[in-house]
Amino acid sequence: MKRLQSKNSRTMRAECCIRTLVLSVLVLLAASCSTTKNLAEDETLYVGVKKMEVLNEDKTPAGVQTLEEVQAALSYPPNNAILGSNSMRWPFPVGLWIYNDFVKYQNKKGLGHFIFRKLASRPVYLSTVNPETRVKVATNLLHDYGFFNGTVSYSVDSLKNPRKARLSYVIDMAKPFFLDSIMYVNYPARADSLIRATDKQRLLHKGDNFSVLTLEEERQRLSTLFRNNGYYYFRPEFITFRADTLQKPGFVSLQVVPKPGVPAEAKRTYYIGNTSVYLVGYNGEMPTDSLVYPTLTVYYSGKKPGIRPSVLSKRMFYKKGQLYSQARQSYTQEAIARLGVFKHTEFRYVPKDTLPGCDTLNVRMSAVFDQPYDGELEFNVTTKSTDQTGPGAAFSLSRKNFMRTGATFSFQMKGSYEWQTNSTVEGDNSMMNSYELGASFSLDYPRLMTPWASQKLKRSRFPQHTLFKLYANQLNRARFFKMLSFGGTVTYDFQPSRMWKHSITPFRLTFNTLQHTTQQFDSITAVNRSLSLSLGNQFIPAMSYTLTYDNAPMKRRHNLWWETSFTSAGNATSLIYAAFGKGFKETGKKLLNSPYAQFLKMTTEMRCLFKISGKQYLATRLMGGILYAYGNQTVAPYSEQFYIGGANSIRAFTVRSIGPGTYHPGEDNRYGYIDETGDLKLEANVEYRFPIFGDLHGAAFLDAGNVWLLRSQEDADGNNARPGGEITLRNLGKSIALGTGVGLRYDLTFLVIRLDLGIALHAPYDTGKSGYYNIPKFKDGLGLHFAIGYPF
């Protein structure tokens, strides 16, 4: 034993010496390295922006936007920049050190060339930044936004090392110019009437800041207005502006006029003629035959068209003889693209003949079929709060344009294994103890496959889907239970408008059966009768309806998203039983020799995103849900019950670590998290989001909420299985968990990487500490979450 301790001591001393030696070498290397010794001649190393001074700052929304654009034009990250910052750098410019030490190997072979190519960072020179050009661009931006007297200047701040330099900028915004009178003149009678009819939609208003960008947006609006009313050949560049700044100092008198020399065809309206569709195979097979359909002619190769003409006809949002409309053209292109059948499509509008007075355009659509099959294979590793981890895989195969209907037929298989990473319940060594297998078939039609929908709804330009799905899952929790779940759904999704979406599931049938249970699991459910009922064999015949509102497509300053869902399970089945003499609320009824669930469930969630200024936002969320089981089963299925906590909920607490109410399982209850579900859920969140620098953003948040029981639940002895779990008005305030915290978000445009630190302020259960702040130890109330995307 002494020899072993001596050996361990020598090993520790050796490791300490090695660490000291490595640290010493790194320090000496840093001291000997230079970031400028091998720079190109007559070049200065740019090390960032020292400051940007703003004079006469305009803090109105228009001024804030202008300043953001100007500062972005002046910013340029130096070597070793922290997340794209123009002024903050990492303290160790390793890439520059390697560049200066290994630049001599850049045109040679060997290890030195490899190190240079892989690890060196080429220096950012002052000439590369080109501050003169940046100042000109920034000044032009000021003028474009109406700050005609604004100026931008710069200075080079030399450092101790004459071959390094920082930049300083001075931005003088001066006073902005505003719009005064605005007139639309010299337009033909029909075009002038269109302008007057849409006067409320104009983007130029008296008193607004003058902005070249707004002028361009108005020009685009007018061009779209004309093209939606038959002027096929009209373009935005056919509109110009006359501006006068002398009549009234600080104001601009504006005239919006047609550009001289507009072509004659751009002044004429056109109508839609015949439609032809040319289908090219996914291997490049050119059309060899044709088929005349009432609304179009299809040219194709093979024995019959690769897609039914009726599928294409239903997605043509124009008719022969109608005035040309750019909007209807866009709706048609979007609807055909949503099919996912074609690799690319092209629409051409060709005059019907060459006569001077021709006012009819024939439509020619060319489409190339995409590959009919899509396959996807995913691998993942899952780690759970129950100390279980393991690999998983999912394989999916899709057949597009199934039966030439534009539908997608999909098959998916998935599976996963899990190990107890800490120890098993009995204390044995880690072993494989769980697995999950599943398979599903789905058929997704890009339209409403139902007789009750009106033709107007079926012809909507917004997405529509009918989904049929069958699935089966085998879940094995070793030492506990083995469960088989299978079922099917029919779902209709449709949008009557850009902001409203409906989802109706008239049929959803799920069957859960416990194929095998262990003695240990039976001992747990024997004590917790509610858990036994929620996990027992049962059918879940349900129907649901979800209504969603989202004004984000309208691109408003403040966004509102609201979704409400209603689910009814077992009630239609009970009505059928009632018709045969069994009471609607009578218990013990079975479907296929198994009891079925009977409950009502409603959830609602509202999210508001308020833009404060620039990139500062206040995000709020308020959500709630209620689940009431009755009649045939007084406890809802476990999968339908509510829980709370985690990275997207109350971030100071982990998933299923609080609730219901003031109930909290004992420390010795290893599987107490199973009980922390409820019939009622309330949650509120508020988060302030702000920029830090570059693509790095910060957040400060406050989360509150909990889940409760609507009625008490008894154990095998008739006692309350979860005391304090029921909701009461008297203790409602104290039973709400409260947490705050701060976070970082790194925006990569295509995704957001999020790191949140939650800080518990109040736990709803008894912690042994009195007062509202009842967290025994500060560190015990911390929750760190790494996630992808915003929490809401």
Side-chain angles (χ1 to χ4, degrees):
M1 186 68 179
K2 290 182 178 180
R3 286 198 300 269
L4 180 60
Q5 291 176 346
S6 177
K7 184 178 179 180
N8 289 338
S9 298
R10 289 197 300 270
T11 302
M12 293 177 62
R13 287 198 296 270
E15 290 177 352
C16 183
C17 291
I18 292 173
R19 293 193 191 101
T20 304
L21 180 61
V22 171
L23 182 60
S24 301
V25 170
L26 290 175
V27 172
L28 290 174
L29 180 64
S32 62
C33 288
S34 170
T35 57
T36 59
K37 68 178 181 180
N38 282 323
L39 296 182
E41 293 185 10
D42 301 325
E43 290 286 3
T44 303
L45 182 67
Y46 166 73
V47 293
V49 175
K50 183 178 180 181
K51 64 177 180 178
M52 287 190 189
E53 184 179 0
V54 181
L55 304 177
N56 299 310
E57 182 176 356
D58 184 351
K59 295 186 178 181
T60 64
V64 170
Q65 182 182 1
T66 302
L67 186 57
E68 286 181 356
E69 295 282 348
V70 170
Q71 290 177 333
L74 298 175
S75 295
Y76 196 93
N79 289 104
N80 231 40
I82 298 177
L83 300 177
S85 171
N86 62 19
S87 57
M88 299 183 66
R89 300 189 302 154
W90 297 107
F92 302 107
V94 178
L96 277 177
W97 291 343
I98 294 175
Y99 175 88
N100 280 276
D101 285 342
F102 288 85
V103 68
K104 56 189 174 185
Y105 299 110
Q106 64 175 326
N107 296 322
K108 298 180 181 180
K109 296 181 179 180
L111 180 61
H113 174 74
F114 176 82
I115 293 175
F116 177 82
R117 184 165 56 88
K118 294 295 184 180
L119 302 177
S121 297
R122 295 191 175 273
V124 178
Y125 294 128
L126 192 62
S127 60
T128 303
V129 179
N130 199 350
E132 296 90 348
T133 301
R134 292 185 176 277
V135 163
K136 290 179 182 178
V137 171
T139 302
N140 289 337
L141 280 172
L142 282 176
H143 297 170
D144 288 345
Y145 280 100
F147 295 84
F148 294 141
N149 297 323
T151 59
V152 180
S153 60
Y154 80 96
S155 61
V156 179
D157 302 321
S158 299
L159 303 175
K160 292 181 180 180
N161 186 339
R163 303 208 64 186
K164 292 182 179 181
R166 282 193 178 93
L167 292 175
S168 292
Y169 294 99
V170 177
I171 305 168
D172 187 354
M173 300 185 72
K175 291 184 178 180
F177 276 64
F178 300 94
L179 291 175
D180 190 25
S181 61
I182 304 164
M183 297 194 311
Y184 297 77
V185 297
N186 298 337
Y187 288 94
R190 188 172 185 278
D192 185 67
S193 64
L194 289 173
I195 295 173
R196 294 180 183 277
T198 58
D199 182 72
K200 293 183 179 180
Q201 300 174 16
R202 66 165 61 180
L203 303 177
L204 302 174
H205 303 94
K206 184 176 181 179
D208 287 352
N209 283 53
F210 177 87
S211 171
V212 172
L213 275 69
T214 308
L215 296 186
E216 180 59 29
E217 290 173 358
E218 178 67 2
R219 187 157 67 170
Q220 292 285 347
R221 185 191 73 85
L222 291 176
S223 176
T224 301
L225 172 65
F226 296 149
R227 285 175 57 81
N228 282 340
N229 287 274
Y231 293 90
Y232 173 75
Y233 290 102
F234 199 90
R235 299 291 181 268
E237 54 266 27
F238 295 157
I239 298 174
T240 189
F241 302 92
R242 298 173 184 166
D244 186 352
T245 60
L246 300 178
Q247 290 186 11
K248 191 175 181 181
F251 290 85
V252 179
S253 297
L254 194 69
Q255 288 186 346
V256 186
V257 298
K259 187 177 180 179
V262 174
E265 58 266 23
K267 301 177 181 179
R268 183 188 307 160
T269 57
Y270 288 84
Y271 295 85
I272 298 296
N274 298 321
T275 298
S276 302
V277 178
Y278 291 79
L279 301 176
V280 180
Y282 62 85
N283 288 324
E285 300 91 345
M286 299 304 295
T288 57
D289 204 348
S290 64
L291 173 66
V292 178
Y293 194 74
T295 57
L296 50 85
T297 302
V298 180
Y299 296 84
Y300 60 95
S301 61
K303 296 182 180 180
K304 52 187 176 182
I307 188 170
R308 296 181 183 181
S310 60
V311 176
L312 298 176
S313 177
K314 291 176 181 178
R315 283 156 181 79
M316 302 291 182
F317 289 90
Y318 56 80
K319 296 179 181 179
K320 184 177 181 179
Q322 281 184 330
L323 270 176
Y324 166 81
S325 168
Q326 178 179 299
R328 285 195 289 266
Q329 172 187 329
S330 298
Y331 302 157
T332 300
Q333 291 175 313
E334 291 172 3
I336 291 177
R338 282 198 298 266
L339 286 172
V341 172
F342 301 111
K343 187 182 301 181
H344 68 82
T345 58
E346 179 185 12
F347 281 79
R348 293 178 57 196
Y349 292 80
V350 183
K352 181 179 180 180
D353 53 54
T354 58
L355 297 177
C358 176
D359 63 352
T360 301
L361 300 173
N362 289 334
V363 184
R364 173 171 173 160
M365 171 188 161
S366 299
V368 180
F369 281 100
D370 199 358
Q371 296 291 331
Y373 290 96
D374 269 345
E376 186 175 346
L377 180 62
E378 295 182 2
F379 290 97
N380 60 74
V381 176
T382 302
T383 300
K384 297 184 178 180
S385 60
T386 55
D387 292 328
Q388 288 185 323
T389 186
F395 171 73
S396 61
L397 181 66
S398 299
R399 174 60 164 93
K400 295 181 287 187
N401 196 24
F402 181 71
M403 301 290 289
R404 301 189 304 121
T405 61
T408 300
F409 180 76
S410 301
F411 167 71
Q412 185 185 60
M413 290 185 64
K414 63 180 181 179
S416 63
Y417 291 96
E418 292 179 358
W419 286 266
Q420 190 80 23
T421 58
N422 192 1
S423 65
T424 61
V425 179
E426 284 80 3
D428 297 337
N429 294 330
S430 177
M431 61 175 290
M432 184 188 76
N433 58 8
S434 296
Y435 67 82
E436 183 175 0
L437 297 173
S440 66
F441 294 89
S442 64
L443 185 58
D444 187 355
Y445 283 94
R447 61 185 183 276
L448 294 179
M449 303 286 291
T450 174
W452 52 260
S454 65
Q455 288 300 316
K456 181 179 179 181
L457 181 58
K458 289 183 177 181
R459 292 281 297 175
S460 172
R461 66 182 179 89
F462 299 103
Q464 301 176 356
H465 292 276
T466 302
L467 178 67
F468 301 93
K469 185 175 181 179
L470 296 173
Y471 66 91
N473 289 304
Q474 177 77 71
L475 177 63
N476 181 75
R477 288 287 180 251
R479 304 172 183 267
F480 288 99
F481 63 84
K482 187 176 182 181
M483 177 183 285
L484 175 65
S485 299
F486 59 88
T489 61
V490 178
T491 303
Y492 300 99
D493 293 327
F494 59 94
Q495 290 184 234
S497 67
R498 187 182 296 272
M499 293 182 292
W500 291 95
K501 178 183 177 181
H502 302 270
S503 181
I504 301 175
T505 301
F507 175 83
R508 188 186 81 191
L509 182 62
T510 302
F511 179 64
N512 297 330
T513 176
L514 283 172
Q515 298 172 300
H516 172 73
T517 62
T518 65
Q519 184 177 358
Q520 182 176 357
F521 180 77
D522 292 339
S523 65
I524 296 174
T525 55
V527 175
N528 192 331
R529 179 174 174 272
S530 299
L531 182 62
S532 175
L533 291 174
S534 65
L535 286 173
N537 296 351
Q538 59 184 314
F539 270 101
I540 309 176
M543 56 182 65
S544 63
Y545 167 69
T546 300
L547 175 65
T548 305
Y549 172 84
D550 185 4
N551 68 358
M554 306 306 292
K555 297 181 180 180
R556 296 176 179 172
R557 180 178 176 84
H558 306 305
N559 293 336
L560 172 64
W561 181 90
W562 172 62
E563 183 173 277
T564 297
S565 180
F566 300 91
T567 301
S568 170
N571 295 298
T573 308
S574 292
L575 285 174
I576 296 175
Y577 273 89
F580 288 92
K582 289 194 175 183
F584 182 78
K585 294 186 178 180
E586 183 179 335
T587 61
K589 298 188 291 290
K590 293 185 177 182
L591 181 64
L592 299 180
N593 205 33
S594 293
Y596 62 86
Q598 189 173 0
F599 62 83
L600 291 173
K601 182 179 182 179
M602 186 190 79
T603 60
T604 186
E605 180 177 356
M606 182 179 293
R607 304 177 186 177
C608 300
L609 184 65
F610 301 96
K611 184 173 183 179
I612 301 174
S613 64
K615 296 181 180 180
Q616 299 183 66
Y617 295 90
L618 186 66
T620 62
R621 174 173 66 175
L622 182 64
M623 64 181 303
I626 186 169
L627 172 64
Y628 181 67
Y630 60 97
N632 203 47
Q633 291 274 38
T634 57
V635 178
Y638 188 79
S639 59
E640 297 288 344
Q641 296 178 23
F642 298 110
Y643 60 89
I644 204 165
N648 297 323
S649 182
I650 304 179
R651 284 158 279 188
F653 302 89
T654 57
V655 177
R656 288 188 172 93
S657 64
I658 50 176
T662 61
Y663 168 78
H664 192 63
E667 296 293 336
D668 58 341
N669 190 346
R670 182 178 177 82
Y671 302 98
Y673 66 90
I674 297 177
D675 290 337
E676 299 195 74
T677 59
D679 307 317
L680 180 67
K681 179 178 181 178
L682 292 175
E683 183 177 347
N685 314 82
V686 60
E687 181 172 286
Y688 170 56
R689 300 169 183 170
F690 53 90
I692 298 178
F693 56 82
D695 296 325
L696 185 66
H697 302 260
F701 53 83
L702 186 68
D703 306 320
N706 203 345
V707 295
W708 295 267
L709 300 175
L710 293 180
R711 54 168 87 90
S712 63
Q713 297 178 352
E714 296 181 351
D715 58 20
D717 299 326
N719 300 319
N720 193 339
R722 291 186 277 182
E726 305 97 304
I727 186 170
T728 60
L729 293 178
R730 185 179 62 181
N731 295 324
L732 180 62
K734 291 184 179 181
S735 65
I736 294 178
L738 182 66
T740 186
V742 293
L744 296 174
R745 289 95 171 87
Y746 187 52
D747 192 347
L748 296 174
T749 304
F750 59 93
L751 63 84
V752 175
I753 301 174
R754 174 164 57 94
L755 184 66
D756 284 334
L757 177 64
I759 304 171
L761 299 178
H762 176 73
Y765 50 85
D766 183 13
T767 63
K769 182 179 179 180
S770 61
Y772 186 79
Y773 179 77
N774 60 351
I775 311 302
K777 295 181 181 179
F778 180 77
K779 66 180 183 64
D780 294 338
L782 299 180
L784 187 63
H785 302 279
F786 177 82
I788 302 297
Y790 289 105
F792 52 88

